[in-house]
Amino acid sequence: MKLSSEVTERLAASGIRLTRQREEVLGVLLQKRDHPTAVEVFMRSKKHMPTISLATVYNCLEALVESGLVKQVNLDRAPTRFCANLLDHSHFFCEECGSVHDIEIPLQSPWNLPSGYLIKQAEVTFRGKCPACTSKNL
Amino acid sequence: MKLSSEVTERLAASGIRLTRQREEVLGVLLQKRDHPTAVEVFMRSKKHMPTISLATVYNCLEALVESGLVKQVNLDRAPTRFCANLLDHSHFFCEECGSVHDIEIPLQSPWNLPSGYLIKQAEVTFRGKCPACTSKNL
DNA sequence: CTAGGTGCAAAAGGTTTGCGGTTAA
DNA sequence: TTAACCGCAAACCTTTTGCACCTAG
């Protein structure tokens, strides 16, 4: 696939060891940005790499998250979802269809926090109805 | 405990059926606002109500969350945490000591979202160092 | 009276781990 | 060459479920 150069570049730049499995996992996340779960990533990866194991997918995801190439999204008690969108963004969760969308809003950090807190990262999650579901006027 | 009147009032006002176990679980969450996990709530509840079961704690928490009396907080892949703070607030997660703090900032919703999205709820999570850990200048 | 809640134990996911073999650097 | 990674299977931990009994309204 033509993504592979981007995948390889990102991996090389991150400094972590480059393996075929990590390329595959990152490739899956870059190809379809629908915030798949680990199991979904596993199933998609198996199409190109039938020998990959679920444990390896978890390991790869962990390495990718740790290196900053992938973000994890947790919603309620549902399984963790992953995305490879490196732009600063928020997530929108549609209560109707369950889909997760990236919302790229520049958060100009208008936070007036109590003193003493050292903020390294802020994360915003929205819930509601996505455009597709809203237009179905359910 | 003197919280019981508040607990009972809140439960009655919520409309869900009032049981001793739900009172106990809500009481635990109101007494110490450290965002315990389900298992922690279970252990604390057992001190006053030795017969309560973990499954019941989960059931109670679910009912309380659904009725809006309790909020659940998910951080990464760690077990879900619960809090009874009904004021609109955000959460701060200390990467140093692992504690979770409520941050009561009035979010004046400065979100410029793409059109089509119907937002019902926004949730903000911060990560960094809490005052206690910052002052230890680690 | 009865719909809904409880307690128990067992099952069901999701995620992690241990280990022998493999591979990127 | 070797530290790190992979695949497999088993373990782990959180959460859910089925069922018989109980209780709030």
Side-chain angles (χ1 to χ4, degrees):
Chain A
M1 54 181 129
K2 47 177 80 87
L3 280 168
S4 62
S5 59
E6 187 186 355
V7 171
T8 310
E9 272 171 36
R10 290 199 185 196
L11 277 169
S14 76
I16 67 171
R17 189 159 145 182
L18 193 152
T19 69
R20 291 204 304 127
Q21 290 82 355
R22 290 176 180 180
E23 285 183 281
E24 177 59 36
V25 166
L26 183 53
V28 163
L29 289 176
L30 284 170
Q31 194 143 59
K32 190 152 179 257
R33 311 243 178 155
D34 59 349
H35 305 79
T37 64
V39 171
E40 284 163 349
V41 171
F42 173 54
M43 293 188 303
R44 294 179 200 174
S45 297
K46 271 210 297 197
K47 286 179 190 163
H48 301 102
M49 186 182 282
T51 63
I52 199 171
S53 72
L54 179 55
T56 293
V57 169
Y58 272 106
N59 287 336
C60 291
L61 287 170
E62 186 181 352
L64 292 169
V65 167
E66 205 152 324
S67 75
L69 286 178
V70 163
K71 285 177 182 165
Q72 50 179 271
V73 193
N74 289 85
L75 294 156
D76 300 335
R77 279 174 267 180
T80 304
R81 298 178 169 280
F82 298 86
C83 71
N85 182 349
L86 295 182
L87 300 174
D88 227 350
H89 68 283
S90 305
H91 289 110
F92 177 91
F93 173 69
C94 179
E95 295 173 337
E96 195 82 24
C97 65
S99 65
V100 178
H101 301 226
D102 283 354
I103 304 280
E104 283 170 18
I105 46 170
L107 289 177
Q108 49 275 32
S109 23
W111 327 111
N112 284 354
L113 295 187
S115 65
Y117 286 93
L118 177 65
I119 307 294
K120 291 191 180 164
Q121 189 200 122
E123 192 185 311
V124 186
T125 308
F126 299 100
R127 268 154 229 270
K129 260 193 214 178
C130 72
C133 289
T134 305
S135 66
K136 278 185 215 140
N137 68 12
L138 291 174
Chain B
M1 55 182 126
K2 47 176 82 89
L3 279 169
S4 61
S5 59
E6 188 185 354
V7 172
T8 311
E9 273 170 35
R10 289 199 186 196
L11 277 169
S14 78
I16 66 170
R17 188 159 145 183
L18 193 152
T19 70
R20 292 203 306 127
Q21 290 81 356
R22 289 177 179 179
E23 283 183 283
E24 177 60 36
V25 166
L26 183 52
V28 163
L29 290 176
L30 285 170
Q31 195 144 58
K32 191 151 178 258
R33 311 246 180 151
D34 59 348
H35 306 79
T37 64
V39 171
E40 285 163 348
V41 171
F42 172 54
M43 293 189 302
R44 294 179 200 175
S45 297
K46 271 210 296 198
K47 288 178 189 164
H48 300 103
M49 185 183 281
T51 62
I52 199 171
S53 72
L54 179 56
T56 293
V57 169
Y58 272 105
N59 286 336
C60 290
L61 287 170
E62 186 181 352
L64 292 168
V65 167
E66 205 152 323
S67 74
L69 286 178
V70 163
K71 285 177 182 165
Q72 50 178 270
V73 193
N74 289 85
L75 294 156
D76 300 334
R77 277 173 269 180
T80 304
R81 298 178 169 278
F82 298 86
C83 72
N85 183 349
L86 295 181
L87 300 174
D88 228 349
H89 68 281
S90 305
H91 288 111
F92 177 91
F93 173 68
C94 179
E95 294 172 337
E96 194 81 25
C97 65
S99 65
V100 178
H101 301 225
D102 284 354
I103 305 279
E104 284 170 18
I105 44 170
L107 290 177
Q108 48 275 29
S109 23
W111 326 112
N112 285 355
L113 296 186
S115 65
Y117 286 93
L118 177 65
I119 308 292
K120 290 189 181 167
Q121 190 201 121
E123 192 185 310
V124 186
T125 307
F126 300 100
R127 269 154 227 269
K129 260 193 214 179
C130 71
C133 288
T134 305
S135 66
K136 278 185 217 137
N137 66 13
L138 291 174

